[in-house]
Structure formats: C-alpha cells, structure tokens
Amino acid sequence: MSYPFRRVEGVNSLIHARGLVKRFGDFTAVDGIDVDVQAGEAFGFLGPNGAGKSSTMRMIGCVSPPTGGVLRILGMDPRRDGPRIRARLGVCPQLDNLDPELTVLENLTTYARFFGIPRKVARARAAELLDFVQLGERAGSKVEPLSGGMKRRLTIARALVNEPDLVLLDEPTTGLDPQARHLVWERLFRLKQQGVTLVLTTHYMDEAEQLCDRLVVMDGGRIVAEGSPRALIDTHSTREVVELRFATDDQGTYAGKLEGIGERIEVLPDRVLLYVSDGDGALAEVHRRSLSPAGSLVRRSSLEDVFLHLTGRTLVD
Amino acid sequence: MTPSAYVLEYHLVNYRRTWRSSVLSSLVLPLLTMLGFGIGVGAYVTGGVGGYSYLEWMVPGLIATTAMQTAIGESTWPVLSSFEWVKVYFAQAAAPLRIGDILGGHLAFMLFRVLLSIAAFLLVAFAFGTLRSAWAVAVPLIALLVGAAVAAPVAAYTASVTSDSYLAILIRFAVLPMSLFSGVFFPIESLPVVLRWVAYVLPLWHGVDLTRAATLGLDPGPGAVWQVLYLVFWCAAGWSLAYWRYQRRLVI
C-alpha cells in the first residue's frame, strides 16, 4: 500500500494543546496539559489506567469537548469544526466497534461512505487496505469469527479508509497476545515509515519504546515528563538496573542493607530495584555484603523505570 | 447526498442480510392475525361495527398497530445495541457525522421498515377485500407519521437506559396497554372515560382513527387536522428528546 504523505499546509502543529482540561463533574480527568504534535511524528501518551490518556484522545478525536484550555487540531477548533476535523482523522478506539454482522470488506466500505467517499473508490481502497493489514483473504467473511488481533488490524484499516492526516490509536494492542501485538506493531511501524502521523496511548513501555519518536508520561491527568524514549531514560533513570528478589515477605527490610549501592533504591512488593551505572559491579557488591537474594537480574533501564521514578508507582499493576 | 443518507445506507446494507426473512414475517403476521382475529373472532361479532364487518373495521387498526410495533421494534434493541453492544454509534460519531446525522439516518431506516411492513399488510388486506376506499393510498403516509411519532420518543428512551430489562418494561407497560386501548379491537367509546383519555393522549389511537377513515372512506372531519398535528407534535418532541439523549451519550 502506498500511503499518500500529505503536507498539512499552514499548520505548525497537527495537535496543539495549552492548559487542556477535561472534567467530569468533580473529577478532573485531564488537568491542564500542553502538547504539540508535528506532522510525520509518532507521538505517544504513556501512563497507567486512569491517567487521562483516553480522555485526552477523545478530545483530540473531537468527540469530547474540552472543559478548559486551548485545543487546535489541524489548525482548527474542535468546538466549532468537529466534523471538518474528523473528516481528516483516523480513529482506532480502545474497544473495537466493528459491525459483527457485516463482512470484513463491508465494514470498510460502509465506514468509507460516512466520509462521503464514492462507492467505487471505497471498494478499491478497502481492498488495498485489507491487503495492507493482511486480511485480504478474509474480505468476504464475517467479522464475528475473527481473532482479536485480526479485529484490531481491521479497525486500523478502517481508521485509514479516509487517508487521514492524523491517526489516533487508543491502546492499540491492549488485550492481544504477544504474536498478535507484534503483527500490529509491525504494521504501525510501516505506516510511520510512510510518514503517517501517529498518536497513540499505551500503558506498555515496550510499545512506547518501539513506536514513539516522542512521548509524554501522564499520571493523574498531568504530564510528568516529555521527550524521546531514549532521552527520558537518560534523564530520569540510570544506565542499568539490578532487580533483586529476597526470600522474605517484606523486601523493605533489605533496603537499609543495600544503602550506598548505586544512585537509588526502589522497594516494590515483590522485588528491590537498584539504579546503577554498572549492574554487574553492583551485584558483586551485593554479594560482598553477604546478602543472598533468591533471584537477581541485571538489565538496561526502560520507560517503566522512568515512570516508577517519576510517580513512585509501576505502570501495569 | 447528505451525511444522514450515508447512515441510512449503512443500515440498509446491514438489512440486506436479513431482508428475506423479515419480509416473509411481515407477510405472515398480517395473514395470521387476519385469519385469527378477523375471521375467528369476527364470527362472534356478527353485527359488525358501525355498519362494517368486524374484519373491515379492525384491519386499519391492525395496520396502525403494525406501524407502531415495527417502529418500537426498531427503536429499542437495535438502538441499545448501537450504544452498548456493537457500539456502531460511537464508530459513526468518530467519523465526520453529527448527532443529527446519526439519529436522522437511523430514524429514516426505522421508517423504511415501517413502510415495508405496512406495505405487506396493505397487500394482504387488499387481497382479503377489506379496503373499501381509494383513500387507502394515504395509509402509508399515516403509517409513517405514526412510526415517527413512536420511534423518535422510544429511541430517546432507549438512549437513556443501559440494560434491555428497561426495554422489556417499556413493552409491558407502554406498548401492550397502548395496543389494547387504542381502538384497534373495539371502539374506544366502550372504554370508561379515564381509559378513553389514555387513548387520546397516546399517539396510536390517532393513527388508528386516521387509518380507519382512509380504508373505509369515512369523512374524518376537521378533527383529523388536529390528530395529524398531534402526531407531528409527538414526532417533533420525540426528535428533540432523542437528539438530547443521543448527545448526552455520544459526546462525553
């Protein structure tokens, strides 16, 4: 599939938000965030459930009016130009809302009609997109019997049916098995290479690391950090991490004994993390102090560590 | 084409799968009721009603009831499913469609279904020779009016609930009494005054009365204008309510 990379004229940021707020009654889901997404970028919102990612995505998708702040999508105001903006967005929602009674192909062609795309064009484009998401052979089958991964790929194909300037993916691989996830990632990576602007939310750090050029870490409706995955790790974490599991109910009792090894210690319910520049050296020091963990692991820092450092909590519970 | 026409088109594509069985049941239902009620029950009502045989008198009532029932069938479970189970409304709301397009397109499809079932009934009624006047050609229009007057407020109701047990309540406490006390099977003049007012307030009786005037060629008198206006009021109020409820549910 050759995806037409279009320049969006006269607009610096495809998404421009300043002090963006979303409240539901007393609850503040999004608490004044600033975001700019440029054309051709793969941008991510990383955060745990309830961080405000999906609320932000719905505001960007122009189906949820902001409670406060400034929001411009493709240079337009969602409050006023909702349909015009949505005509140029591709949306892959968190929960598939495909029509199970229609065929795979019909799901794309009927959806294309909502954008006023002529039937003939819709059919040609749908066939092309089904090949792209590797569902070409299932064009005539019903949606119901498809696997979760296939449905998600079909939803992604549906999001591309209007050749959008901006593709929004809300938790694109949540609930998929590892193999299906990789297939989705691979397709999204292709889109990214073709210059499609992707905006995605995720609570998987590996997904963010693989797909995002730049991301913001969200927690409690606020942005707590921003940058490329590499830069975030460099800024907020050490080069390596030593994970130690002690044979005790309270890992915290070992915190004192580990004092001074590395830059920082995090005690989790099931393990202790040592943030260090040299993992093997640190592990040797642990053993020199005659602390014998039941299990140990030296690894590189990840976005998970960034999140833990910034919020004191893990991403996936 | 307007965006709501695209929504209608989607519902029609969806209907293409089931239209055969649906058209068949649209034909079988009037046939059975005609035989059971008209000929079976009619045999006991030997005097007829107002100078017409019981079958002739009852058929227009059944036609209006069919319009009402089809409208309710289409504005309950399918609407709830579009919000709760299949969630197509949310997919549509993410496209460049407005609330009015989503609601208007779906209502248009509901009215299309009303027309189909009415057409089937008219055909059967014609075959049984119970259409006494050429005014019967106005029946589809009346049926559309009844259909919209019922479908719009019921869609508003459905858009306000999250479980289909509320739909069962609607059927039991609104649809069933309305079918019984709207002059379909017996003239509302035989009802006590209180129940007669129930018939006046609900939309169905007006549809029954107008349809009856059309198929029997009765002079509906100036009251018919008020009846039409009253049904239009139900349509308009229903549309406003449904628009409001759809917006509350889709734009959050």
Side-chain angles (χ1 to χ4, degrees):
Chain A
M1 189 195 71
S2 65
Y3 194 89
F5 174 57
R6 279 173 299 175
R7 207 168 288 217
V8 181
E9 295 293 340
V11 175
N12 292 326
S13 306
L14 298 196
I15 299 173
H16 171 80
R18 286 293 175 274
L20 185 60
V21 173
K22 182 71 192 184
R23 276 191 216 99
F24 299 101
D26 293 338
F27 174 69
T28 304
V30 179
D31 195 4
I33 61 169
D34 298 344
V35 174
D36 277 285
V37 177
Q38 314 299 325
E41 226 181 350
F43 184 88
F45 290 94
L46 178 72
N49 292 329
K53 307 184 304 281
S54 292
S55 296
T56 305
M57 281 298 246
R58 279 204 302 274
M59 285 192 279
I60 295 171
C62 304
V63 291
S64 167
T67 315
V70 175
L71 182 63
R72 292 286 176 279
I73 311 295
L74 306 167
M76 292 179 275
D77 182 352
R79 288 183 184 91
R80 221 183 36 235
D81 301 312
R84 270 177 70 200
I85 299 170
R86 292 199 299 272
R88 291 162 61 186
L89 300 182
V91 179
C92 177
Q94 195 169 13
L95 298 169
D96 292 318
N97 50 26
L98 298 161
D99 196 310
E101 310 278 3
L102 296 180
T103 67
V104 167
L105 186 75
E106 283 170 339
N107 259 283
L108 298 189
T109 51
T110 55
Y111 203 72
R113 295 291 288 150
F114 296 156
F115 293 83
I117 296 167
R119 285 191 195 82
K120 221 176 136 185
V121 179
R123 267 196 303 274
R125 208 176 279 172
E128 203 179 337
L129 283 168
L130 286 183
D131 285 339
F132 173 68
V133 295
Q134 295 159 318
L135 287 171
E137 288 172 10
R138 306 297 295 261
S141 71
K142 289 269 170 60
V143 165
E144 196 51 58
L146 298 186
S147 71
M150 286 173 167
K151 282 181 185 164
R152 193 55 57 87
R153 265 146 50 209
L154 181 57
T155 307
I156 291 171
R158 193 182 68 178
L160 298 172
V161 85
N162 58 327
E163 298 183 330
D165 291 318
L166 183 58
V167 179
L168 309 177
L169 304 134
D170 198 359
E171 310 258 349
T173 66
T174 296
L176 301 187
D177 61 62
Q179 203 188 348
R181 290 179 76 194
H182 280 282
L183 205 50
V184 168
W185 284 347
E186 195 253 326
R187 291 295 106 177
L188 292 178
F189 192 72
R190 281 272 195 97
L191 283 180
K192 182 179 148 176
Q193 280 180 317
Q194 287 168 17
V196 179
T197 311
L198 301 179
V199 174
L200 58 102
T201 70
T202 183
H203 58 249
Y204 295 123
M205 47 158 187
D206 48 350
E207 186 160 283
E209 279 175 356
Q210 288 223 10
L211 290 173
C212 297
D213 301 319
R214 204 159 58 84
L215 56 91
V216 289
V217 179
M218 282 188 83
D219 186 43
R222 293 170 178 276
I223 290 175
V224 291
E226 179 186 347
S228 70
R230 193 69 257 156
L232 282 171
I233 292 166
D234 288 346
T235 314
H236 299 285
S237 193
T238 53
R239 206 173 72 87
E240 293 189 327
V241 184
V242 182
E243 295 198 7
L244 302 171
R245 285 169 206 274
F246 293 99
T248 165
D249 284 342
D250 185 8
Q251 306 280 335
T253 54
Y254 284 87
K257 297 169 185 163
L258 294 164
E259 198 83 22
I261 308 178
E263 291 178 22
R264 218 174 72 243
I265 297 174
E266 291 278 358
V267 180
L268 300 181
D270 60 337
R271 61 198 194 275
V272 179
L273 305 181
L274 298 178
Y275 288 91
V276 298
S277 50
D278 172 16
D280 291 327
L283 192 57
E285 173 64 18
V286 171
H287 287 295
R288 207 189 54 75
R289 295 189 187 182
S290 338
L291 303 168
S292 37
S296 63
L297 168 74
V298 176
R299 60 169 176 82
R300 295 175 67 87
S301 270
S302 71
L303 285 173
E304 181 83 47
D305 301 300
V306 172
F307 189 79
L308 186 63
H309 179 49
L310 291 171
T311 70
R313 288 182 291 111
T314 50
L315 265 170
V316 187
D317 328 298
Chain B
M1 269 170 86
T2 68
S4 52
Y6 297 134
V7 176
L8 170 63
E9 186 180 318
Y10 157 79
H11 290 288
L12 289 174
V13 169
N14 225 331
Y15 185 59
R16 217 160 47 183
R17 270 176 321 103
T18 53
W19 73 272
R20 281 183 198 85
S21 59
S22 129
V23 165
L24 193 69
S25 69
S26 303
L27 276 170
V28 169
L29 208 68
L31 263 176
L32 290 180
T33 44
M34 204 93 84
L35 290 171
F37 276 99
I39 297 172
V41 180
Y44 291 92
V45 193
T46 42
V49 186
Y52 297 92
S53 76
Y54 183 64
L55 185 63
E56 285 169 341
W57 186 87
M58 189 199 58
V59 157
L62 282 182
I63 291 178
T65 307
T66 303
M68 181 270 289
Q69 279 173 349
T70 309
I72 286 190
E74 293 292 329
S75 56
T76 44
W77 275 267
V79 167
L80 190 61
S81 167
S82 301
F83 278 117
E84 283 290 310
W85 304 317
V86 176
K87 296 178 188 289
V88 282
Y89 283 156
F90 293 95
Q92 291 172 350
L97 300 169
R98 298 160 198 267
I99 300 294
D101 303 327
I102 295 170
L103 175 60
H106 203 169
L107 279 174
F109 174 73
M110 296 175 196
L111 294 185
F112 165 78
R113 289 278 298 113
V114 167
L115 265 191
L116 270 190
S117 56
I118 284 310
F121 215 129
L122 271 178
L123 217 65
V124 174
F126 180 74
F128 275 70
T130 64
L131 303 179
R132 295 282 298 266
S133 159
W135 277 102
V137 294
V139 170
L141 284 178
I142 302 166
L144 280 180
L145 196 55
V146 172
V150 168
V154 172
Y157 172 84
T158 308
S160 312
V161 303
T162 48
S163 148
D164 67 348
S165 49
Y166 290 99
L167 302 183
I169 290 174
L170 178 82
I171 303 289
R172 214 161 293 153
F173 293 104
V175 178
L176 206 62
M178 183 153 70
S179 312
L180 288 176
F181 304 126
S182 292
V184 179
F185 303 104
F186 52 87
I188 60 165
E189 285 73 25
S190 10
L191 288 170
V193 180
V194 179
L195 281 179
R196 215 179 298 168
W197 271 98
V198 173
Y200 292 147
V201 170
L202 292 172
L204 181 59
W205 174 74
H206 303 281
V208 171
D209 210 41
L210 290 167
T211 310
R212 189 163 285 142
T215 66
L216 298 182
L218 303 171
D219 176 11
V225 176
W226 290 109
Q227 288 184 314
V228 167
L229 284 179
Y230 186 61
L231 289 176
V232 169
F233 163 76
W234 269 85
C235 297
W239 170 273
S240 309
L241 284 174
Y243 191 97
W244 169 53
R245 296 317 300 174
Y246 270 53
Q247 190 163 41
R248 284 294 290 273
R249 195 122 169 210
L250 291 174
V251 182
I252 42 168

